[in-house]
Amino acid sequence: PVEGTSLVEFRGQGVIDTSLRIVLSVLHDNKRKTEWMESCVENRVLHHFAPGKVVVYNRTGSPFPLVSDRDVVVATRITIRPEERLVRVDGRNVDDELAPPVDGVVRMPRLLMSIELVGLSKTTTRITYQVQADPGGALPLWIVNRGNRRLPYRTISKMREQVKRRPV
């Protein structure tokens, strides 16, 4: 539960049979995020401030004409703790002049997310994906919560498929 709202935060965890380095390369390949991020139809980097600090634009496709697409600008920060074989990406929605609102697309008023990668061995990585998303618009929150419930699972499953396409 998220305090002050009927929105629910969701977390998924899984193990991917490849190295932390390969999973991290997939995570940072912005050109191919539409292949593994659930319902992602557009993803582009707006700012590359420093290593580990990036702002991206992301658009999520929705079943037209029932629901409009959603978009969000996300500022991400990467934390690396080599002694723990851990990489963590935290993101939250922000406003940015390089991504003004798009006609017919609903700007998400709230997104908090984290992806944590832990290298369990040279050939296995644990991924934990946690997301709290308010897609905005007039959708009832019970529908939003139901739709968001499988987001971490689907994203981790698609990432498992994506790492198979990467060089070792």
Side-chain angles (χ1 to χ4, degrees):
V2 177
E3 191 174 319
T5 181
S6 298
L7 282 172
V8 177
E9 188 166 358
F10 293 95
R11 179 184 315 135
Q13 189 173 75
V15 174
I16 299 177
D17 293 327
T18 195
S19 70
L20 175 62
R21 181 183 61 80
I22 296 293
V23 178
L24 194 56
S25 73
V26 168
L27 189 63
H28 284 95
D29 187 349
N30 285 294
K31 294 177 183 172
R32 296 178 70 181
K33 284 197 175 167
T34 57
E35 296 176 16
W36 63 267
M37 286 181 69
E38 179 63 19
S39 302
C40 180
V41 296
E42 183 179 353
N43 186 81
R44 59 186 155 87
V45 175
L46 300 177
H47 303 283
H48 221 121
F49 290 114
K53 291 186 180 180
V54 178
V55 175
V56 297
Y57 171 83
N58 184 277
R59 183 168 172 170
T60 302
S62 297
F64 180 81
L66 302 175
V67 179
S68 298
D69 284 3
R70 297 317 200 245
D71 70 359
V72 66
V73 177
V74 182
T76 61
R77 183 185 75 243
I78 298 173
T79 304
I80 301 172
R81 295 199 303 256
E83 68 282 356
E84 299 174 47
R85 297 185 42 86
L86 180 139
V87 176
R88 182 178 170 99
V89 179
D90 291 289
R92 68 178 310 114
N93 63 297
V94 295
D95 293 321
D96 193 286
E97 70 279 353
L98 290 181
V102 177
D103 286 341
V105 177
V106 177
R107 180 64 45 101
M108 293 175 63
R110 181 173 177 85
L111 177 79
L112 296 173
M113 56 75 63
S114 67
I115 298 174
E116 186 175 275
L117 306 174
V118 177
L120 300 175
S121 73
K122 289 182 178 183
T123 59
T124 57
T125 303
R126 183 178 65 226
I127 180 171
T128 304
Y129 179 47
Q130 189 162 326
V131 64
Q132 178 190 127
D134 179 351
L139 295 173
L141 289 181
W142 70 269
I143 290 176
V144 172
N145 287 332
R146 185 174 178 170
N148 285 345
R149 181 180 68 186
R150 295 188 48 85
L151 181 64
Y153 171 78
R154 288 182 177 152
T155 297
I156 291 170
S157 294
K158 287 181 175 184
M159 185 177 272
R160 278 190 182 117
E161 293 302 314
Q162 188 69 24
V163 298
K164 294 176 185 175
R165 299 180 190 152
R166 306 297 290 188
V168 180

